[in-house]
Amino acid sequence: MKRAKPKVRNTIRELRLAADGMTQQALAERVGCTRQTILLLEQERYTPSLVLAMRIARTFDKRVDQVFQIDGD
Amino acid sequence: MFWLYLGAAVLLGGLTLAIAHHLLRGGTDVEAGGLTTLQKRAWIGIAAGVAAAMGLIAVFLVRGLELYDEHPATRLLVYSLIGCGVAIHSFVVPRTWRGEPRSWADERDLRVFERAPAVQGVAVLLALAIWTILLTEWFQSSGSIPIVFPSLIFLSTFFVHLVSVSFGILIGYRRSLREAWE
């Protein structure tokens, strides 16, 4: 039986807006990705690599599991 | 007359491009607020490829296969068109990408780029199938194929192989890559 892929939720948008309304472009530049990827991440339509997830978490001074959560866990 | 054909060919190329753009739009990144740099580069690559292909068609429509075979200037024109298409495409769309960082791309772009060669294989097979069917139909009765065709088959297949990377990139974005490790 094929298992459904787990959905990864995140709080990037909330954290970004809480950080003095940081723009998507600014966040993208800080973590080394494109603005389109940040937008897809915020829409939870893309799950990042571990490296990118760690960079994002570090930007907001959080742990990875505080930014990304697996749905249902 | 030649310029008329060339103009018509370029117009047809532009129309093809517009239709392709219309069909491919609506992918993730149009909704996501603009095209990525790699997508823009792929579109430029396709534009260069389509323009060169239309130019080639115009040359063969106007001058004919016999002239290509006998007239060095026509061959030079054909090689120049292919050379320009290849040069522009190679300049805007990377040929290889060994994971080194690029200022205009990220991990998602890299994954899309890595998947693009799958489209290349299909495109080359299609090109060869079309050549095989056409040549078989055209020269069935004569039982032999003019010597000019092997080089044309190679050049066109090489061209398709190169330009289809751009199509692979655009299709990759449209397929909405969901995970970095997918």
Side-chain angles (χ1 to χ4, degrees), chain B residues 74-154:
Chain B
T74 306
R75 275 206 297 277
L76 190 67
L77 185 60
V78 168
Y79 296 152
S80 303
L81 277 168
I82 290 174
C84 284
V86 168
I88 295 170
H89 193 277
S90 301
F91 183 71
V92 291
V93 180
R95 296 285 298 134
T96 56
W97 195 336
R98 294 187 184 88
E100 70 267 34
R102 288 172 192 257
S103 58
W104 47 266
D106 66 5
E107 61 177 42
R108 200 168 61 95
D109 299 311
L110 177 60
R111 294 293 291 125
V112 167
F113 183 80
E114 283 173 342
R115 289 170 159 210
V119 175
Q120 266 183 315
V122 175
V124 166
L125 277 177
L126 263 176
L128 289 175
I130 290 169
W131 268 117
T132 306
I133 293 166
L134 288 180
L135 291 178
T136 305
E137 292 302 317
W138 282 343
F139 299 104
Q140 182 86 50
S141 53
S142 66
S144 63
I145 294 169
I147 196 68
V148 64
F149 279 106
S151 64
L152 286 181
I153 292 170
F154 170 73

Side-chain angles (χ1 to χ4, degrees), chain A residues 5-8 24 32-40 43-53, chain B residues 27-29 31-37 39 104-109 111 176-182:
Chain A
K5 284 190 178 175
K7 175 94 177 165
V8 178
Q24 290 176 338
C33 70
T34 61
R35 188 176 62 85
Q36 287 86 349
T37 297
I38 296 294
L39 202 145
L40 289 175
Q43 292 174 347
E44 296 176 344
R45 289 164 61 193
Y46 176 67
T47 304
S49 67
L50 185 59
V51 173
L52 183 56
Chain B
T28 52
D29 294 301
E31 296 163 35
L35 302 174
T36 65
T37 305
Q39 271 177 305
W104 47 266
D106 66 5
E107 61 177 42
R108 200 168 61 95
D109 299 311
R111 294 293 291 125
S176 184
L177 187 73
R178 292 200 62 87
E179 292 172 3
W181 60 86
E182 194 172 32

Side-chain angles (χ1 to χ4, degrees), chain A residues 10-62:
Chain A
N10 70 71
T11 53
I12 296 173
R13 184 175 169 78
E14 291 78 7
L15 291 167
R16 181 173 62 78
L17 294 176
D20 289 335
M22 180 192 288
T23 64
Q24 290 176 338
Q25 184 64 43
L27 177 59
E29 284 168 11
R30 285 183 71 166
V31 299
C33 70
T34 61
R35 188 176 62 85
Q36 287 86 349
T37 297
I38 296 294
L39 202 145
L40 289 175
L41 281 168
E42 289 187 355
Q43 292 174 347
E44 296 176 344
R45 289 164 61 193
Y46 176 67
T47 304
S49 67
L50 185 59
V51 173
L52 183 56
M54 290 175 79
R55 282 183 183 156
I56 291 170
R58 198 167 54 198
T59 298
F60 296 118
D61 207 17
K62 300 277 183 191

